[in-house]
Amino acid sequence: EAGVVQSPRYKIIEKKQPVAFWCNPISGHNTLYWYRQNLGQGPELLIRYENEEAVDDSQLPKDRFSAERLKGVDSTLKIQPAELGDSAVYLCASSREQGVSNSPLHFGNGTRLTVT
Amino acid sequence: GNSVTQMEGPVTLSEEAFLTINCTYTATGYPSLFWYVQYPGEGLQLLLKATKADDKGSNKGFEATYRKETTSFHLEKGSVQVSDSAVYFCALSGIQGAQKLVFGQGTRLTINP
C-alpha cells in the first residue's frame, strides 16, 4: 500500500508569514494525526481526526494554528502568523481502526519548517 | 501525567554488540507500549509493540517485554548491524481509551563496522 504522503518536504519562511502543510493518509485509514517534533525530542500530538471530526485538539495552539480535514481524507495544517519557535518537523500519521488504542500509526516523512 | 522516559543518547556500538535501550513509563491504567524507529531520511515506523503485561514484542531481531512491575519496556538486540543505525522512540497509548501516542525523547543509535 502507498504510504502517508506529506508536502512540502521542507519550508523556510520569515516570521509573521503564513504557512500550510498538506497530508494524504493511507487509503482507508479513518484516523489522522498531526504531530510536531522539535529538534532532539519525540513527537507531540497537535490534533487527531476521526474521519472529518477533530476529536482531540487540546494541544493545538488555536490562536495561530488551524487544521481541516474536508471529506475525511486529506488534511491541511496551517500556521498564521508563524513564530520563530514554530521551527520543527510536522508529522502526519494515519491509522486504520477507530477506537482501538493499539492500532499502529503510519507516519509520513514530515515537513521540516524553518522560521527565520 | 502520562510520560515516557528513555535512555539518554547518543549510543555508539560496534557491529555484533549487544544492545539495550532503556524505556520506563508513567501512566494510570494499562497502556499499550511501542517502539518506533526512524532511519535516516525516512519517516517513523513501528518496530514492535506489546499490549498487556508480560507480552513480548519482537521484530527484525529486536525484542522488548512489557514489565508492569517495573513499568519498563526495554529494547534489546543480541547482535546489532550497521543498518540498525537510527533513532529509536519508545511510546505508549491507550490511557483511558485515548488513541494518541505519547513518545519518549528518542535515542540515537550509531553502529560502527
Side-chain angles (χ1 to χ4, degrees):
Chain A
E1 61 185 1
V4 176
V5 178
Q6 289 188 248
S7 68
R9 190 70 192 270
Y10 303 94
K11 189 73 177 180
I12 301 174
I13 60 170
E14 294 183 348
K15 62 183 180 182
K16 300 184 182 179
Q17 294 302 304
V19 64
F21 315 123
W22 176 81
C23 172
N24 191 11
I26 293 172
S27 178
H29 281 196
N30 298 320
T31 308
L32 184 146
Y33 308 75
W34 283 102
Y35 279 83
R36 177 169 60 189
Q37 185 177 14
N38 293 313
L39 187 65
Q41 301 294 317
E44 295 179 325
L45 181 70
L46 291 174
I47 189 167
R48 174 168 68 94
Y49 283 92
E50 296 286 355
N51 298 305
E52 66 274 10
E53 182 183 358
V55 296
D56 183 355
D57 64 356
S58 56
Q59 294 180 257
L60 188 73
K62 298 182 183 62
D63 56 335
R64 297 183 300 107
F65 286 65
S66 64
E68 60 182 13
R69 192 184 183 198
L70 301 176
K71 301 181 182 178
V73 181
D74 56 351
S75 175
T76 56
L77 177 69
K78 298 178 182 177
I79 309 175
Q80 182 170 10
E83 296 179 352
L84 294 176
D86 297 330
S87 296
V89 177
Y90 291 83
L91 297 168
C92 180
S94 67
S95 64
R96 181 182 299 275
E97 300 174 65
Q98 278 180 285
V100 178
S101 62
N102 60 15
S103 178
L105 272 63
H106 298 259
F107 284 85
N109 287 344
T111 297
R112 182 178 296 277
L113 173 67
T114 302
V115 182
T116 63
Chain B
N2 305 316
S3 65
V4 175
T5 302
Q6 281 183 241
M7 174 177 176
E8 291 268 344
V11 175
T12 303
L13 296 172
S14 298
E15 206 165 22
E16 299 183 5
F18 183 86
L19 169 71
T20 300
I21 300 178
N22 290 337
C23 170
T24 57
Y25 66 90
T26 302
T28 53
Y30 304 98
S32 296
L33 301 173
F34 305 82
W35 277 99
Y36 278 78
V37 58
Q38 190 170 32
Y39 297 105
E42 298 184 17
L44 279 161
Q45 55 187 274
L46 179 66
L47 180 61
L48 54 84
K49 69 177 184 180
T51 58
K52 61 183 187 295
D54 299 326
D55 266 4
K56 179 185 285 188
S58 61
N59 187 24
K60 299 182 180 180
F62 290 89
E63 294 183 338
T65 301
Y66 189 145
R67 300 287 189 200
K68 181 167 171 288
E69 62 277 11
T70 55
T71 62
S72 64
F73 193 55
H74 304 321
L75 183 68
E76 296 182 335
K77 186 173 185 181
S79 177
V80 292
Q81 306 300 314
V82 172
S83 58
D84 294 326
S85 298
V87 182
Y88 292 81
F89 292 91
C90 186
L92 62 79
S93 78
I95 300 301
Q96 298 172 338
Q99 266 185 283
K100 68 180 184 183
L101 282 172
V102 175
F103 286 89
Q105 76 272 29
T107 302
R108 181 175 297 277
L109 173 67
T110 301
I111 307 299
N112 294 321

